[in-house]
């Protein structure tokens, strides 16, 4: 929320944030009443998604405390997040998807083809969302239908939600699988990268004129997409175990789309490509170690 806004508008935005938080609580309470909720995998999905949401909230604290970071640090943190997501896509989603497809009777070529189609479907879904849902990128500006008619703050919120959606789905789909340790490794890795991600989101909002409280509040709000998406992903896979390889592959495709379309271009735009790349390599290694140590 730009600091030039009248205090009355400031309270309206804060009220809107509070209403959205209340809506999230209501949705989760309704989900808890579904028959599928008796499945412990649903509990795992909610736990993993909540971990990621809490990590995002923790990342906004420096902005709330008026701490500032250089553009180089900002780009390095973005690269770190991209590396974690890239490793998670590979080790926690694609490889288990291939194993699940083979366990269901597919041969090597069949499993590879099925997972490849799932990856393409996940990327296509994010591409459609990116084109249809009105939102605003931090670099490229307005996209989607009717974008100019919406307040910039809500455009940023929608952009963040689109970004966090595949992470939540990945946590939920992994929790619905047959390897709880691997699912926890994925949730832990995504939570680790969500700390700098929450900071980056809040810093970006702060940099375009929104106040400290609003920037931090919207950063926290963005993380609440993940537990909802995680529970949804686990519920879908719970309907039919045959959907597991498709779900894992689609979540990987969605994450790969976000990495290529959003994070890497943003981290390279200010001339700190080397730092962003080092961050990506570090994030990839951290997530790989988590996946192999906890699995």
């Amino acid at each position: 929320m730009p600091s030039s806004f009248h205090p009355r508008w400031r309270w309206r935005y804060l009220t809107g944030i509070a209403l959205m938080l209340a809506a999230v609580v209501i949705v989760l309470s309704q989900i808890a009443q579904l028959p599928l909720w008796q499945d412990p995998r649903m509990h795992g999905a909610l736990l993993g998604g909540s971990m990621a949401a809490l990590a995002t909230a923790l990342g906004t604290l420096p902005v709330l405390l008026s701490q500032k970071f250089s553009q180089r640090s900002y780009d390095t943190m973005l690269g770190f997040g991209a590396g974690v997501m890239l490793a998670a896509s590979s080790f926690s989603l694609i490889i288990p998807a291939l194993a699940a497809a083979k366990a269901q009777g597919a041969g090597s070529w069949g499993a590879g083809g099925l997972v490849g189609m799932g990856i393409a479907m996940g990327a296509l879904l994010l591409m459609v969302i990116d084109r249809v849902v009105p939102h605003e990128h931090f670099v490229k500006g307005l996209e989607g239908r009717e974008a100019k008619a919406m307040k910039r703050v809500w455009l940023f919120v929608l952009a963040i939600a689109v970004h966090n959606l595949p992470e939540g789905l990945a946590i939920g789909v992994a929790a619905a699988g047959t390897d709880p340790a691997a699912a926890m490794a994925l949730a832990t890795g995504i939570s680790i990268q969500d700390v700098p991600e929450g900071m980056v989101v809040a810093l970006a909002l702060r940099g375009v004129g929104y106040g400290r409280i609003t920037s931090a509040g919207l950063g926290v709000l963005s993380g609440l997409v993940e537990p909802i998406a995680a529970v949804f992903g686990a519920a879908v896979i719970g309907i039919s175990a045959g959907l597991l390889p498709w779900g894992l592959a689609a979540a990987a495709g969605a994450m790969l789309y976000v990495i290529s379309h959003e994070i890497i271009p943003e981290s390279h735009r200010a001339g700190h490509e080397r730092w962003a790349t080092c961050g990506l390599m570090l994030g990839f290694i951290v997530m790989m170690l988590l996946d192999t140590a906890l699995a």
Side-chain angles (χ1 to χ4, degrees):
M1 178 174 43
S3 56
S4 59
F5 274 22
H6 191 277
R8 181 181 64 182
W9 290 102
R10 182 176 293 110
W11 283 109
R12 287 188 179 183
Y13 278 113
L14 293 177
T15 301
I17 293 173
L19 290 174
M20 293 183 71
L21 289 172
V24 170
V25 172
I26 293 172
V27 169
L28 290 177
S29 66
Q30 292 299 313
I31 290 174
Q33 299 177 16
L34 296 175
L36 280 173
W37 189 246
Q38 304 304 319
D39 191 332
R41 294 176 295 182
M42 295 287 287
H43 298 171
L46 180 59
L47 175 62
S50 298
M51 284 174 51
L54 178 60
T56 303
L58 290 174
T60 67
L61 288 179
V63 175
L64 191 61
L65 299 175
S66 299
Q67 298 296 316
K68 295 183 179 180
F69 297 87
S70 67
Q71 183 65 42
R72 186 175 67 183
S73 299
Y74 174 91
D75 293 337
T76 304
M77 288 187 289
L78 279 176
F80 179 86
V84 170
M85 292 176 70
L86 186 60
S89 299
S90 303
F91 296 103
S92 300
L93 296 173
I94 294 176
I95 292 177
L98 289 168
K102 290 180 179 178
Q104 294 177 5
S108 297
W109 282 98
L114 184 153
V115 171
M117 287 189 289
I119 292 172
M121 288 173 57
L124 180 61
L125 174 62
L126 261 291
M127 189 180 300
V128 171
I129 293 175
D130 190 62
R131 291 187 63 86
V132 173
V133 176
H135 60 283
E136 183 170 359
H137 295 271
F138 297 131
V139 181
K140 295 185 292 183
L142 301 173
E143 284 192 357
R145 298 176 182 175
E146 306 297 331
K148 294 182 180 179
M150 298 182 65
K151 297 291 185 181
R152 293 186 70 203
V153 66
W154 302 117
L155 297 175
F156 278 118
V157 171
L158 287 171
I160 297 164
V162 170
H163 177 93
N164 285 341
L165 178 63
E167 295 178 7
L169 289 173
I171 291 173
V173 171
T178 58
D179 191 343
M184 181 55 66
L186 174 63
T188 302
I190 289 179
S191 297
I192 289 173
Q193 72 96 18
D194 274 345
V195 175
E197 183 177 286
M199 187 186 304
V200 164
V201 168
L203 285 172
L205 289 167
R206 189 80 177 100
V208 295
Y210 297 108
R212 288 184 293 114
I213 294 177
T214 303
S215 299
L218 290 174
V220 172
L221 183 64
S222 73
L224 295 179
V225 174
E226 298 191 57
I228 295 176
V231 170
F232 175 78
V236 171
I237 301 303
I239 294 173
S240 173
L243 296 174
L244 179 60
W246 289 97
L248 290 168
M255 292 180 71
L256 290 172
Y257 179 86
V258 170
I259 294 168
S260 177
H261 188 66
E262 299 277 354
I263 304 179
I264 291 179
E266 167 73 5
S267 66
H268 284 208
R269 70 181 176 89
H272 301 127
E273 296 91 343
R274 184 172 301 170
W275 287 90
T277 300
C278 289
L280 185 148
M281 299 298 293
L282 178 61
F284 188 95
I285 292 171
V286 167
M287 184 62 211
M288 180 191 68
L289 290 174
L290 283 173
D291 205 355
T292 55
L294 297 179

